[in-house]
Short mmCIF file of all heavy atoms in Angstrom, two decimals:
data_model
loop_
_atom_site.label_atom_id
_atom_site.label_comp_id
_atom_site.label_asym_id
_atom_site.label_seq_id
_atom_site.Cartn_x
_atom_site.Cartn_y
_atom_site.Cartn_z
N GLY P 74 -39.58 16.27 33.11
CA GLY P 74 -39.33 16.70 34.48
C GLY P 74 -38.10 17.57 34.59
O GLY P 74 -37.41 17.87 33.61
N SER P 75 -37.79 17.97 35.80
CA SER P 75 -36.69 18.90 36.03
C SER P 75 -35.34 18.21 36.05
O SER P 75 -34.31 18.86 35.97
CB SER P 75 -36.91 19.63 37.37
OG SER P 75 -37.00 18.69 38.43
N SER P 76 -35.31 16.87 36.20
CA SER P 76 -34.04 16.17 36.31
C SER P 76 -33.52 15.75 34.94
O SER P 76 -33.03 14.66 34.76
CB SER P 76 -34.19 14.93 37.20
OG SER P 76 -35.16 14.05 36.65
N VAL P 77 -33.71 16.63 33.99
CA VAL P 77 -33.24 16.35 32.63
C VAL P 77 -32.49 17.56 32.12
O VAL P 77 -32.57 18.65 32.68
CB VAL P 77 -34.42 16.03 31.68
CG1 VAL P 77 -35.18 14.81 32.15
CG2 VAL P 77 -35.35 17.23 31.55
N LYS P 78 -31.75 17.34 31.02
CA LYS P 78 -31.11 18.46 30.34
C LYS P 78 -31.14 18.21 28.84
O LYS P 78 -31.27 17.06 28.38
CB LYS P 78 -29.68 18.65 30.82
CG LYS P 78 -28.74 17.47 30.61
CD LYS P 78 -27.35 17.81 31.15
CE LYS P 78 -26.42 16.61 31.05
NZ LYS P 78 -25.07 16.92 31.59
N GLU P 79 -31.03 19.30 28.13
CA GLU P 79 -31.06 19.22 26.68
C GLU P 79 -29.63 19.18 26.14
O GLU P 79 -28.78 19.98 26.54
CB GLU P 79 -31.78 20.45 26.09
CG GLU P 79 -33.21 20.60 26.54
CD GLU P 79 -34.10 19.48 25.99
OE1 GLU P 79 -33.83 19.02 24.86
OE2 GLU P 79 -35.01 19.06 26.70
N VAL P 80 -29.34 18.24 25.28
CA VAL P 80 -28.06 18.19 24.58
C VAL P 80 -28.33 18.10 23.09
O VAL P 80 -29.42 17.69 22.66
CB VAL P 80 -27.20 17.00 25.05
CG1 VAL P 80 -26.90 17.08 26.53
CG2 VAL P 80 -27.84 15.66 24.70
N LYS P 81 -27.34 18.45 22.32
CA LYS P 81 -27.50 18.49 20.87
C LYS P 81 -26.40 17.71 20.19
O LYS P 81 -25.25 17.71 20.63
CB LYS P 81 -27.47 19.94 20.37
CG LYS P 81 -28.68 20.74 20.81
CD LYS P 81 -28.67 22.10 20.14
CE LYS P 81 -29.92 22.86 20.58
NZ LYS P 81 -31.14 22.19 20.10
N ALA P 82 -26.77 17.07 19.12
CA ALA P 82 -25.80 16.38 18.28
C ALA P 82 -25.69 17.12 16.95
O ALA P 82 -26.70 17.46 16.34
CB ALA P 82 -26.22 14.94 18.03
N VAL P 83 -24.47 17.39 16.52
CA VAL P 83 -24.22 17.90 15.18
C VAL P 83 -23.72 16.73 14.35
O VAL P 83 -22.67 16.15 14.64
CB VAL P 83 -23.20 19.05 15.19
CG1 VAL P 83 -22.91 19.51 13.76
CG2 VAL P 83 -23.70 20.20 16.03
N VAL P 84 -24.48 16.37 13.34
CA VAL P 84 -24.20 15.19 12.52
C VAL P 84 -23.66 15.69 11.18
O VAL P 84 -24.37 16.36 10.42
CB VAL P 84 -25.47 14.35 12.31
CG1 VAL P 84 -25.17 13.12 11.47
CG2 VAL P 84 -26.06 13.93 13.66
N THR P 85 -22.41 15.35 10.87
CA THR P 85 -21.76 15.83 9.66
C THR P 85 -21.73 14.72 8.61
O THR P 85 -21.21 13.63 8.86
CB THR P 85 -20.32 16.30 9.94
OG1 THR P 85 -20.35 17.27 10.99
CG2 THR P 85 -19.70 16.93 8.71
N ILE P 86 -22.30 15.03 7.46
CA ILE P 86 -22.43 14.07 6.37
C ILE P 86 -21.75 14.64 5.13
O ILE P 86 -21.82 15.83 4.87
CB ILE P 86 -23.91 13.78 6.08
CG1 ILE P 86 -24.54 13.03 7.27
CG2 ILE P 86 -24.08 12.98 4.80
CD1 ILE P 86 -26.03 12.86 7.15
N ARG P 87 -21.08 13.79 4.40
CA ARG P 87 -20.45 14.22 3.15
C ARG P 87 -21.20 13.64 1.97
O ARG P 87 -21.42 12.43 1.88
CB ARG P 87 -19.00 13.76 3.10
CG ARG P 87 -18.25 14.31 1.88
CD ARG P 87 -16.83 13.80 1.81
NE ARG P 87 -16.82 12.36 1.62
CZ ARG P 87 -15.83 11.57 2.03
NH1 ARG P 87 -14.83 12.08 2.69
NH2 ARG P 87 -15.87 10.27 1.81
N LYS P 88 -21.58 14.51 1.06
CA LYS P 88 -22.20 14.09 -0.19
C LYS P 88 -21.13 13.87 -1.24
O LYS P 88 -19.97 14.25 -1.07
CB LYS P 88 -23.17 15.15 -0.69
CG LYS P 88 -24.32 15.45 0.25
CD LYS P 88 -25.41 16.25 -0.46
CE LYS P 88 -24.88 17.28 -1.41
NZ LYS P 88 -25.94 18.01 -2.12
N LYS P 89 -21.53 13.30 -2.36
CA LYS P 89 -20.63 13.18 -3.50
C LYS P 89 -20.28 14.57 -4.00
O LYS P 89 -21.11 15.47 -4.02
CB LYS P 89 -21.27 12.37 -4.62
CG LYS P 89 -21.36 10.89 -4.34
CD LYS P 89 -21.94 10.14 -5.53
CE LYS P 89 -21.03 10.22 -6.76
NZ LYS P 89 -21.55 9.41 -7.87
N MET P 90 -19.05 14.74 -4.43
CA MET P 90 -18.62 16.03 -4.96
C MET P 90 -19.08 16.22 -6.41
O MET P 90 -19.26 17.33 -6.86
CB MET P 90 -17.10 16.15 -4.86
CG MET P 90 -16.60 16.10 -3.42
SD MET P 90 -14.80 16.06 -3.29
CE MET P 90 -14.40 17.72 -3.81
N LYS P 91 -19.26 15.11 -7.11
CA LYS P 91 -19.76 15.17 -8.48
C LYS P 91 -21.02 14.33 -8.56
O LYS P 91 -20.99 13.13 -8.27
CB LYS P 91 -18.71 14.64 -9.46
CG LYS P 91 -17.42 15.46 -9.48
CD LYS P 91 -16.41 14.85 -10.44
CE LYS P 91 -15.11 15.65 -10.45
NZ LYS P 91 -14.11 15.06 -11.36
N GLU P 92 -22.12 14.96 -8.93
CA GLU P 92 -23.40 14.27 -8.96
C GLU P 92 -24.05 14.43 -10.32
O GLU P 92 -23.96 15.51 -10.94
CB GLU P 92 -24.35 14.84 -7.90
CG GLU P 92 -23.86 14.68 -6.46
CD GLU P 92 -24.77 15.39 -5.48
OE1 GLU P 92 -25.38 16.42 -5.84
OE2 GLU P 92 -24.88 14.90 -4.35
N ASN P 93 -24.74 13.37 -10.75
CA ASN P 93 -25.55 13.52 -11.95
C ASN P 93 -26.93 14.05 -11.55
O ASN P 93 -27.22 14.26 -10.36
CB ASN P 93 -25.66 12.20 -12.71
CG ASN P 93 -26.23 11.07 -11.85
OD1 ASN P 93 -27.13 11.30 -11.03
ND2 ASN P 93 -25.72 9.86 -12.03
N ILE P 94 -27.76 14.27 -12.52
CA ILE P 94 -29.07 14.89 -12.25
C ILE P 94 -29.89 14.04 -11.30
O ILE P 94 -30.50 14.55 -10.34
CB ILE P 94 -29.84 15.11 -13.57
CG1 ILE P 94 -29.09 16.11 -14.46
CG2 ILE P 94 -31.25 15.60 -13.29
CD1 ILE P 94 -28.96 17.49 -13.86
N THR P 95 -29.91 12.73 -11.52
CA THR P 95 -30.70 11.84 -10.66
C THR P 95 -30.21 11.91 -9.22
O THR P 95 -31.01 11.98 -8.28
CB THR P 95 -30.62 10.40 -11.18
OG1 THR P 95 -31.10 10.35 -12.52
CG2 THR P 95 -31.44 9.46 -10.31
N GLU P 96 -28.90 11.90 -9.04
CA GLU P 96 -28.35 11.95 -7.70
C GLU P 96 -28.66 13.27 -7.01
O GLU P 96 -28.93 13.32 -5.81
CB GLU P 96 -26.84 11.73 -7.76
CG GLU P 96 -26.45 10.30 -8.10
CD GLU P 96 -24.97 10.15 -8.38
OE1 GLU P 96 -24.34 11.14 -8.86
OE2 GLU P 96 -24.43 9.05 -8.13
#
Side-chain angles (χ1 to χ4, degrees):
S75 59
S76 60
V77 299
K78 60 180 175 180
E79 299 293 326
V80 300
K81 292 187 178 296
V83 177
V84 181
T85 305
I86 293 173
R87 186 182 64 208
K88 299 194 321 178
K89 287 183 65 175
M90 298 174 70
K91 297 178 181 179
E92 298 174 329
N93 57 37
I94 296 297
T95 302
E96 289 171 331

